[in-house]
Amino acid sequence: TNVFSKNYDAKAAQSSKLHKGEKGYGTPREGSKSAQRAKKAKVWVKEQIGVLINVIKKVGTKNPKGRVEVTFGLLFTTYQDISDTLVGMLRRAKKYGVLQFEGDMLFQGVSDKVVITLQPKADTWKFIPKSWKGL
């Protein structure tokens, strides 16, 4: 299936091509280097969400419902010495259901007063890197 190979067969490649909605579409082949990188990246993202949860617990305060919350402005200031991935990790963590905030994207300055609240799922999050020393 290497398009640059002298043995490349365009018709065969097209016939084996997956289409949107089919099982396996959009994912690397099992056992490939791409699959290994994807698996490693997924673990890394989950570990970074673990770091984020711990930072929010450290700098946040409990709301009347007993959930820890923090404003984006405070979190952004605190997180700037930890990683440059804060906004991406917030979006991922929201997708995983470990935290909640209004909107889809947060921006420094404009979103400083947006409240980010940890959800119950954050209490059982197990992915925390061994190297994490805390704040």
Side-chain angles (χ1 to χ4, degrees), residues 28-46:
R29 293 181 205 263
E30 192 65 40
S32 68
K33 287 185 179 182
S34 292
Q36 292 170 0
R37 285 189 296 270
K39 186 175 180 180
K40 190 175 176 181
K42 192 171 187 176
V43 169
W44 181 84
V45 166
K46 288 181 176 183

Side-chain angles (χ1 to χ4, degrees), residues 44-45 47-49 51-52 55 72 75-90 129 132 134-135:
W44 181 84
V45 166
E47 287 177 343
Q48 294 307 303
I49 291 172
V51 169
L52 176 60
V55 171
F72 177 68
L75 185 59
F76 189 90
T77 303
T78 305
Y79 220 79
Q80 66 190 0
D81 293 330
I82 298 169
S83 176
D84 61 355
T85 63
L86 176 61
V87 174
M89 289 304 119
L90 284 169
W132 174 245
L135 293 177

Side-chain angles (χ1 to χ4, degrees), residues 104-130:
D104 291 324
M105 183 68 91
L106 300 174
F107 299 95
Q108 184 185 12
V110 177
S111 306
D112 283 354
K113 293 183 180 174
V114 172
V115 176
I116 299 162
T117 308
L118 290 179
Q119 299 299 297
K121 192 171 181 180
D123 298 338
T124 58
W125 195 258
K126 294 177 175 61
F127 301 92
I128 298 167
K130 290 177 177 67

Side-chain angles (χ1 to χ4, degrees), residues 5-69:
S5 169
K6 66 179 180 177
N7 300 322
Y8 178 71
D9 182 355
K11 287 182 181 178
Q14 283 298 323
S15 67
S16 66
K17 186 177 176 182
L18 293 173
H19 300 284
K20 201 170 193 172
E22 291 181 339
K23 187 177 191 298
Y25 178 81
T27 58
R29 293 181 205 263
E30 192 65 40
S32 68
K33 287 185 179 182
S34 292
Q36 292 170 0
R37 285 189 296 270
K39 186 175 180 180
K40 190 175 176 181
K42 192 171 187 176
V43 169
W44 181 84
V45 166
K46 288 181 176 183
E47 287 177 343
Q48 294 307 303
I49 291 172
V51 169
L52 176 60
I53 290 167
N54 281 301
V55 171
I56 292 172
K57 286 179 179 178
K58 180 84 172 172
V59 300
T61 56
K62 286 195 175 187
N63 66 18
K65 294 181 179 179
R67 305 302 320 157
V68 178
E69 62 185 23

